Amino acid sequence: MRLCMIGTGYVGLVSGVCFSDLGNTVHCVDNDKKKINLLNQGKIPIHEPGLDEILKRNVKQKRLFFTSDLKLAVNKADIIFICVGTPTKKKSNSADLKYVFQVAKKLRKYIKKYRIVVTKSTVPVSTGDKIEKILNSKGRKKIVDVVSNPEFLREGEAIRDFVYPDRVVVGTNSKKANRIMKSLYLPIIKKKSRYFNTSRKGAELVKYASNAFLATKISYINEIANLCEKSGVDIKDISFGMGLDQRIGDRFLRAGPAYGGSCFPKDTKALVDVAKIFKTDLSIVKTVIKSNENRKKILANRVYKILNNKIKNKNITFLGVTFKPNTDDMREASSLLMIPRLSKKGAKIRYYDPTGKKKEFEKFTNVKFCKDLSSACLKTDLIIIHTEWNEFKFLNFKRLVKKKNFIIYDLRNIYSPIKMNQNKIKYFGIGR
Ligand code: UDX
């Protein structure tokens, strides 16, 4: 099939590349000409393991194209995906849909015959109705079916999540559009990857409800971890014991720092905001938002306690600063609150992250990026394992630090407290 992906961010680029790898002809469009030039040189502006190889293969086979000419791309496509950002508005919790509606207004000019327009961006319930009004404006015969097809891609695992999804959700009441969408996804619909057709608003809400539930699950186990710390229980036992119940499931039950990323924080707030419009109070999701924000402060205070409130001139090392491994994304990472707080208290902070130096910390004079683990850990007083990159999982801390009396604060519970004690290393974890 001939597809047009509008927006080449985490969603649009990954989906476009993967769709082309299924044999479709895909034009990826972005109004950021610099980004399009980079992509046409085979350079990828996001960190997504494995994406570059698939991109290069499909560009070579002339199935994948990058352009900033929306009109050209629309004319070469039967299905047009809107994959632009829907960030949280500055002064409110609502999703900013200006980019979505800007695209819809342009599409109205360019679309002259039947097309399917798909919202893959995460949009509040009933956004599809608004897009439909723009595209099928009065006096024009209805020539567009507007479909909701939310993505469930995790950063760092996006290709796997695209090719092996638990489900493909398509929101439309149009039999024709549903038939076309089902044939588009046929190559990846298997027994395990279900194709689910529902209403357009249903598909829009499934996305928010899923993300808010996952965020709730994480905040829930994080709060239980707080109780474990006070009651001398190991949270890993609780997660394991709970996860054996198939109704609960063992995934997304790992206690850690606050959840971050571009989705959970944004989508939980947007869901509460949309519910308000429909005069519904989502008290649980509201509490999750508050609990997660508060967690970053709890972690920073825990560091003060670990260092007996003697922070000034203490050498503190962060291993990893991104919101999760296998991504360079810093959005809503706990480090964005913890490092500035510790820096303001006079700590001397070094950090090492496999994805390199972060602009977010450049303004802090006592925060330094180190190119490797040894220079980050040498002679440090406290190592905070912030992100669970694989390369942090088998470290010989004594050889790295080269001094006695250092402390480990393991925010991802990578290491065993028992083994740390056996090695006479002072260790703190989460919920243990
Ligand atoms: C999420 C959803 O998983 C995905 O379906 C949606 O399309 C986009 O948002 P993403 O934000 O990329 O994906 O990462 P995810 O792996 O879900 O992690 C989100 C946050 O939760 C991270 O900060 C991660 O560290 C944290 N997390 C995740 C936990 O703290 N514990 C867990 O068990 C799982």
Side-chain angles (χ1 to χ4, degrees):
M1 283 188 184
R2 305 184 309 155
L3 314 177
C4 166
M5 312 305 291
I6 306 173
T8 58
Y10 286 98
V11 175
L13 182 60
V14 172
S15 307
V17 170
C18 291
F19 272 132
S20 72
D21 209 41
L22 296 178
N24 300 291
T25 302
V26 181
H27 281 78
C28 293
V29 191
D30 204 298
N31 56 14
D32 180 339
K33 289 194 167 55
K34 260 194 291 176
K35 202 189 256 190
I36 291 298
N37 290 338
L38 268 175
L39 287 164
N40 279 322
Q41 294 160 37
K43 294 190 186 109
I44 302 214
I46 59 169
H47 183 99
E48 191 59 53
L51 190 65
D52 49 355
E53 184 215 323
I54 306 175
L55 181 144
K56 290 195 176 95
R57 178 167 71 231
N58 286 285
V59 166
K60 196 157 162 247
Q61 290 175 10
K62 300 205 178 319
R63 277 202 295 261
L64 181 61
F65 304 90
F66 299 105
T67 176
S68 38
D69 182 342
L70 179 60
K71 189 175 180 187
L72 169 121
V74 166
N75 290 331
K76 288 179 178 295
D78 306 304
I79 307 177
I80 298 152
F81 286 84
I82 300 178
C83 309
V84 294
T86 55
T88 307
K89 275 189 185 151
K90 293 244 176 330
K91 296 198 176 58
S92 77
N93 279 337
S94 52
D96 190 344
L97 299 174
K98 66 174 179 241
Y99 305 116
V100 171
F101 293 139
Q102 280 167 9
V103 165
K105 287 186 184 109
K106 287 182 185 154
L107 292 177
R108 180 174 57 193
K109 278 191 304 191
Y110 301 148
I111 293 175
K112 304 280 184 244
K113 52 186 184 205
Y114 179 74
R115 289 281 186 278
I116 295 174
V117 172
V118 183
T119 46
K120 194 164 261 303
S121 304
T122 304
V123 292
V125 180
S126 78
T127 301
D129 299 348
K130 295 179 184 134
I131 294 172
E132 189 156 72
K133 277 211 187 76
I134 295 171
L135 291 174
N136 291 327
S137 48
K138 283 193 208 62
R140 260 170 57 124
K141 192 164 95 24
K142 182 174 180 292
I143 55 168
V144 174
D145 273 325
V146 179
V147 171
S148 168
N149 171 219
E151 49 77 25
F152 300 99
L153 309 177
R154 289 168 296 158
E155 287 184 38
E157 335 255 346
I159 293 165
R160 186 212 157 280
D161 289 347
F162 184 94
V163 180
Y164 304 103
D166 289 338
R167 77 293 205 198
V168 171
V169 177
V170 171
T172 180
N173 294 327
S174 152
K175 287 196 171 40
K176 177 177 181 182
N178 185 45
R179 193 179 60 252
I180 295 168
M181 292 298 286
K182 192 159 190 176
S183 54
L184 170 66
Y185 277 105
L186 211 53
I188 52 176
I189 300 302
K190 300 176 183 69
K191 273 194 230 68
K192 286 208 144 211
S193 309
R194 301 289 300 277
Y195 180 89
F196 172 48
N197 172 225
T198 181
S199 68
R200 186 166 58 206
K201 284 197 268 191
E204 290 166 341
L205 186 51
V206 156
K207 168 70 183 176
Y208 276 111
S210 300
N211 267 9
F213 182 78
L214 291 169
T216 304
K217 201 172 175 184
I218 292 165
S219 288
Y220 176 83
I221 203 67
N222 283 341
E223 288 203 346
I224 296 293
N226 295 340
L227 175 58
C228 287
E229 284 170 14
K230 300 277 171 45
S231 55
V233 175
D234 189 330
I235 187 62
K236 280 206 160 182
D237 294 342
I238 307 308
S239 298
F240 184 75
M242 285 176 65
L244 292 172
D245 182 329
Q246 291 194 10
R247 293 169 304 173
I248 298 173
D250 60 1
R251 295 177 65 189
F252 279 66
L253 267 182
R254 297 189 315 276
Y259 61 73
S262 62
C263 294
F264 287 171
K266 159 176 81 73
D267 293 352
T268 43
K269 289 174 190 161
L271 180 59
V272 167
D273 189 72
V274 168
K276 213 161 56 185
I277 296 167
F278 290 94
K279 300 196 180 354
T280 308
D281 178 32
L282 297 182
S283 59
I284 295 172
V285 182
K286 276 183 188 167
T287 309
V288 165
I289 294 165
K290 217 160 55 196
S291 167
N292 192 63
E293 265 318 298
N294 191 39
R295 183 160 189 75
K296 299 175 187 175
K297 294 169 195 141
I298 290 175
L299 296 177
N301 294 337
R302 185 100 192 272
V303 175
Y304 306 153
K305 207 158 154 241
I306 288 171
L307 292 173
N308 303 315
N309 280 311
K310 296 186 181 70
I311 311 291
K312 196 161 174 41
N313 294 326
K314 277 280 191 258
N315 292 294
I316 299 177
T317 295
F318 274 76
L319 296 189
V321 286
T322 56
F323 85 95
K324 63 180 279 195
N326 303 316
T327 181
D328 59 354
D329 199 341
M330 287 293 291
R331 284 176 286 188
E332 305 283 337
S334 295
S335 60
L336 293 174
L337 177 131
M338 293 176 78
I339 289 181
R341 281 203 175 195
L342 291 165
S343 145
K344 280 192 195 99
K345 282 193 172 270
K348 290 189 275 187
I349 298 168
R350 284 171 278 168
Y351 70 93
Y352 164 71
D353 189 289
T355 60
K357 190 173 181 175
K358 302 299 167 197
K359 61 182 179 329
E360 289 84 354
F361 303 126
E362 274 165 4
K363 61 177 181 278
F364 298 99
T365 49
N366 54 339
V367 180
K368 182 171 164 281
F369 169 67
C370 295
K371 285 199 178 64
D372 53 50
L373 275 164
S374 35
S375 55
C377 298
L378 185 65
K379 308 278 185 219
T380 196
D381 298 308
L382 170 65
I383 292 179
I384 297 177
I385 306 176
H386 175 277
T387 313
E388 66 278 29
W389 287 92
N390 283 336
E391 62 185 279
F392 300 159
K393 292 182 177 170
F394 305 95
L395 299 178
N396 181 330
F397 290 107
K398 287 187 175 169
R399 193 178 301 158
L400 281 170
V401 178
K402 294 189 176 55
K403 79 168 209 169
K404 285 201 170 63
N405 310 326
F406 62 89
I407 304 168
I408 306 272
Y409 185 22
D410 182 2
L411 300 187
R412 300 294 183 166
N413 288 338
I414 296 173
Y415 290 90
S416 146
I418 297 157
K419 289 218 177 75
M420 283 289 164
N421 282 327
Q422 284 163 355
N423 289 331
K424 302 203 179 353
I425 295 175
K426 207 166 172 202
Y427 173 92
F428 294 86
I430 292 278
R432 31 184 20 192

